[in-house]
């Protein structure tokens, strides 16, 4: 009996163990997103098996929760898109949640159209669906795949925020995020500074804060200078601030800050403080430039978070290796589905 139970839980233990090992080695690896999916599916299967006779009911509840999540998600994104346009303007970056919501809603409508056709058994509707099946299959697969990839990315980014981190840092890099016209920090940047100040005050040996960001063409001062003014106004002593005022991108933020930190004597244990949606990509860049750092997320307004996370997801999947993985997974699903719909295999 015990041996049978061990056999049942062994796959889950192995997958969770691999995921834990991978997270311990490097939290910025893309493989962690895939491993988290596999571990979650395995845990769900174990939960259903452990429920015994109630397993079917548990499975139905889990299926219903997932169905509702996928059903509601497009409407939430569309609503969020209108909120973003109202508060942040009509730029493309602010339309991302609206566009993704429309794509996912189109996939859902295409799926419901198939179900309605199968239920009603209408000859006219069946002929129409048959003639349009490649298009409908394309929409369903595309919407479903994009939805799955984004939700997997989103849940991993959330998971990163739940993981405890050490408080014994030597340096804390604060990523820049644009300034107000008068040269003071925006709410987004102030939140990053506040999180860095929180880390500073909780650390048993207060670290050096490294505000990082150069001066844009439309900015009165460098982001580093504006952050320094904010930090000192909140009681951070000047000797505990090391400005990096040359960078113009996230990658440069980390590379130039790394150079400043490595030039200092002593230990160099580092934290990266940025908005919570940006932590994963910042950690990826840190690994790229050889900086061993922990990512810490600062609060961001909830309405802003979905569009910002979509940008992060696009940026990560635009990298050559991950773009290949993304397209390969998409084609593995799409091509067989299209062949079946066209040739009725």
């Amino acid at each position: 009996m015990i041996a049978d139970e061990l056999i049942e839980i062994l796959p889950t233990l192995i997958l969770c163990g691999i995921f834990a090992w991978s997270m311990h080695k490097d939290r910025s690896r893309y493989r962690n997103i895939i491993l988290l999916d596999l571990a979650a599916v395995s845990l769900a299967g174990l939960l259903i098996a452990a429920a015994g006779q109630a397993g079917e009911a548990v499975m139905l509840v889990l299926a219903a929760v997932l169905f509702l999540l996928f059903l509601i998600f497009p409407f939430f994104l569309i609503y969020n898109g209108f909120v973003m346009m109202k508060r942040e303007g009509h730029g493309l970056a602010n339309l991302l949640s609206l566009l993704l919501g429309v794509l996912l809603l189109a996939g859902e409508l295409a799926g419901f159209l198939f179900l309605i056709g199968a239920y009603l058994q209408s000859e006219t509707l069946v002929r129409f669906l048959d003639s349009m099946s490649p298009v409908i299959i394309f929409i369903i697969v595309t919407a479903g795949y994009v939805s799955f990839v984004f939700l997997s990315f989103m849940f991993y980014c959330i998971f990163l925020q739940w993981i405890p981190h050490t408080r014994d840092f030597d340096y804390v890099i604060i990523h820049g995020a644009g300034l107000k016209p008068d040269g003071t920090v925006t709410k987004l940047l102030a939140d990053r500074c506040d999180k860095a100040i929180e880390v500073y005050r909780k650390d048993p040996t207060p670290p050096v804060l490294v505000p990082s960001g150069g001066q844009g063409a439309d900015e009165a001062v460098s982001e580093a200078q504006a952050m320094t003014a904010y930090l000192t106004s909140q009681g951070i002593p000047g000797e505990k601030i090391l400005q990096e005022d040359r960078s113009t991108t996230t990658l440069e933020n980390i590379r130039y800050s790394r150079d400043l930190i490595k030039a200092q004597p002593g230990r160099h244990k580092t934290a990266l403080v940025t908005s919570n949606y940006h932590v994963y990509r910042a950690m990826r860049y840190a690994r790229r430039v050889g900086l061993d750092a922990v990512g810490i997320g600062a609060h961001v307004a909830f309405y802003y978070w979905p569009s910002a996370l979509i940008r992060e997801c696009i940026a990560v999947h635009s990298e050559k290796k991950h773009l290949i993985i993304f397209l390969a997974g998409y084609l593995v699903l799409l091509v067989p589905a299209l062949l079946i719909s066209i040739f009725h295999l």
Side-chain angles (χ1 to χ4, degrees), residues 281-302:
R281 186 152 62 102
M283 290 174 64
R284 292 181 60 79
Y285 287 155
R287 176 168 56 84
R288 184 184 299 182
V289 302
L291 178 64
D292 184 15
V294 173
I296 300 174
H299 168 78
V300 67
F302 181 71

Side-chain angles (χ1 to χ4, degrees), residues 98-141:
L98 175 62
L99 295 175
L100 180 59
V102 170
L103 171 64
L104 301 189
L105 183 60
E108 289 185 359
L109 292 175
F112 282 126
L113 188 60
F114 257 140
L115 292 175
I116 291 171
Y119 177 75
L120 294 179
Q121 292 294 311
S122 166
E123 185 177 339
T124 303
L125 185 56
V126 168
R127 282 202 304 268
F128 170 75
L129 291 176
D130 187 59
S131 64
M132 293 294 294
S133 62
V135 176
I136 296 174
I137 288 295
F138 174 78
I139 294 173
I140 292 173
V141 172

Side-chain angles (χ1 to χ4, degrees), residues 174-188:
I174 313 169
H175 291 273
L179 304 175
K180 294 179 181 178
D182 63 357
T184 58
V185 297
T186 60
K187 178 65 167 62
L188 185 70

